[in-house]
Amino acid sequence: MCTVAAGIGALYALMAVHSLRWIRRLPRPAGRSLPSVTILKPLYGAEPELQANLESFLVQDHPAPMQVVFGVHDSTDPALGAARQAGARHPDIETHLVIDATRHGSNGKISNLINMMREARHDVVVLADSDMRVTPEYLRRVVAALEQPGIGLVTCLYHGLPVAGFWSRLSALAIDTHFLPSVLVALRLGLAKPCFGSTIALRRDTLARAGGFETLKNRLADDYELGGAVRRLGLDIAIPPMLVSHCCSEKSFAELWNHEIRWARTIRLVDPLGFTGSIVTHPLPFALMALPLGGMAPLSLCLLVAVLASRLGVQIQVQQMTGGRRTDFLLGPLRDLLSFAVFVASFLPGRLSWRGERFGVDTAGRMTATKQGSKD
């Protein structure tokens, strides 16, 4: 059984390599116009590289009017300093700062967005998590995808960008060698309908018809839920052929583990069958288990080599797409074993930690805050 699982996983890795090559060859959609855009940036805490991340949204090659709204719950939030400095460095861009402690539900990010929407002036609304970094052509390409017929929302694939040392490098590898290839394979097979917090772009009337942010105020997987609401309107979600950067800032094993457990449990909640089936994306542990169980047979040894080679192929493809560190190839096997441990642990009971709060989640995906915890 371990041999079969490892073999299937190696074949899956080869499919991932092909899918990574496929996304690089897709044509870029051409926009017919350049509408005015409001970018919403909900903030919490002084994350590493926060000012650089925010400034990347202020230097967009977008000649139409553009507004950026930053939002926090607390006037003492250290993220305010980065937001003010970013705005001051780009006085030609219209920026607004919303400080509002009003909580509309258990999801703090959604409460923030509800408060921020009162300052949004333009028809096209783009929101992106605070740990995302983009290139100057980002907004043009997102808006161009949104203008295609039948499209109600645009989201973006992303890769990991380590900014805090060894543990953040492992975090980035999880995105690059597990999350990103898995999403691409599922898209090619028609098994995924994703919507990511890396980017959500839609028109205000589409957001209103989908129920607005208010319907997400108690939801854990708010981005996934918004994507589903837009699809129920009969509109499609576009994913342009580009990657944005997710800044990984974990400084300890505990930070890494808590973050990835929350992430894995969220995915298991919204797509339990797909998440369980993702066991095929973890061939290395099964190949290692097959060695002693098979008496160190030549077949088991060859299978282990094939698994390592196929997983290395995934790393090489992602490195070519993103310009990542070649030295991180050596961390690939360790990352694969850690990802399998996260996968197994995600099925165990326990509460989650997010943005300084501990909370539980019911079977419908509703969040229930319990007590203060460590920042995740």
Side-chain angles (χ1 to χ4, degrees):
M1 291 179 63
C2 289
T3 299
V4 170
I8 293 174
L11 292 175
Y12 183 91
L14 294 178
M15 291 179 60
V17 169
H18 190 266
S19 297
L20 288 162
R21 295 173 62 89
W22 164 73
I23 192 70
R24 296 171 64 185
R25 296 194 297 265
L26 288 179
R28 300 179 182 180
R32 293 166 295 179
S33 62
L34 290 172
S36 303
V37 176
T38 292
I39 299 176
L40 302 178
K41 299 294 294 184
L43 307 176
Y44 180 89
E47 302 169 352
E49 303 286 328
L50 178 59
Q51 184 175 334
N53 296 342
L54 298 181
E55 287 195 44
S56 72
F57 287 85
L58 296 175
V59 293
Q60 292 299 302
D61 181 17
H62 189 76
M66 185 181 81
Q67 172 200 28
V68 180
V69 181
F70 303 115
V72 296
H73 286 300
D74 190 341
S75 60
T76 63
D77 194 313
L80 281 173
R84 287 175 173 141
Q85 290 177 32
R89 284 173 55 86
H90 302 277
D92 54 318
I93 302 298
E94 179 187 359
T95 60
H96 295 269
L97 187 57
V98 175
I99 305 173
D100 192 335
T102 305
R103 292 294 292 256
H104 303 272
S106 52
N107 188 320
K109 169 187 166 183
I110 294 299
S111 290
N112 206 351
L113 288 169
I114 293 172
N115 297 336
M116 295 163 66
M117 276 299 291
R118 69 171 182 261
E119 295 291 344
R121 296 195 303 105
H122 301 305
D123 178 56
V124 173
V125 176
V126 177
L127 54 135
D129 291 342
S130 57
D131 51 11
M132 294 296 161
R133 187 176 301 178
V134 296
T135 55
E137 69 273 12
Y138 159 82
L139 196 56
R140 276 180 177 266
R141 296 175 69 175
V142 167
V143 170
L146 185 61
E147 291 190 321
Q148 302 307 303
I151 298 301
L153 184 149
V154 176
T155 193
C156 289
L157 297 167
Y158 56 93
H159 72 98
L161 179 65
V163 297
F166 175 76
W167 297 110
S168 69
R169 288 166 61 193
L170 281 180
S171 177
L173 275 175
I175 298 172
D176 292 354
T177 63
H178 284 272
F179 166 77
L180 178 58
S182 296
V183 171
L184 287 173
V185 170
L187 284 172
R188 295 206 68 187
L189 297 177
L191 301 176
K193 296 181 178 180
C195 182
F196 306 121
S198 58
T199 292
I200 295 177
L202 71 174
R203 296 176 180 84
R204 293 180 70 130
D205 69 310
T206 303
L207 177 61
R209 289 168 57 202
F213 291 128
E214 288 79 4
T215 61
L216 309 172
K217 61 186 180 182
N218 293 314
R219 298 289 178 171
L220 171 62
D222 48 83
D223 44 9
Y224 178 87
E225 297 281 356
L226 182 55
V230 169
R231 289 190 181 90
R232 287 192 290 274
L233 297 176
L235 299 171
D236 290 329
I237 293 181
I239 303 179
M242 69 177 190
L243 299 177
V244 299
S245 299
H246 170 92
C247 289
C248 301
S249 58
E250 292 82 356
K251 297 179 181 178
S252 68
F253 174 76
E255 278 191 67
L256 176 67
W257 181 262
N258 289 333
H259 185 187
E260 294 191 358
I261 284 291
R262 176 176 61 82
W263 195 1
R265 287 177 175 166
T266 300
I267 298 172
R268 181 168 62 86
L269 176 71
V270 301
D271 185 14
L273 290 178
F275 181 78
T276 303
S278 70
I279 194 171
V280 302
T281 67
H282 303 283
L284 182 58
F286 292 104
L288 290 173
M289 287 187 284
L291 279 176
L293 294 174
M296 305 299 288
L299 175 61
S300 298
L301 289 170
C302 290
L303 181 60
L304 177 59
V305 172
V307 165
L308 291 171
S310 63
R311 294 296 299 159
L312 179 61
V314 172
Q315 286 187 263
I316 291 173
Q317 283 297 316
V318 174
Q319 190 275 334
Q320 290 178 349
M321 292 177 67
T322 64
R325 298 168 181 248
R326 292 181 180 270
T327 55
D328 283 348
F329 292 161
L330 299 176
L331 295 178
L334 174 61
R335 177 65 261 183
D336 285 355
L337 295 176
L338 180 57
S339 292
F340 183 69
V342 170
F343 174 82
V344 173
S346 69
F347 289 92
L348 301 177
R351 294 190 177 274
L352 304 180
S353 173
W354 183 43
R355 296 298 193 182
E357 295 185 20
R358 299 280 294 176
F359 60 89
V361 184
D362 65 18
T363 55
R366 290 184 292 266
M367 300 167 60
T368 304
T370 55
K371 62 181 180 178
Q372 292 299 309
S374 59
K375 182 173 181 267
D376 180 14

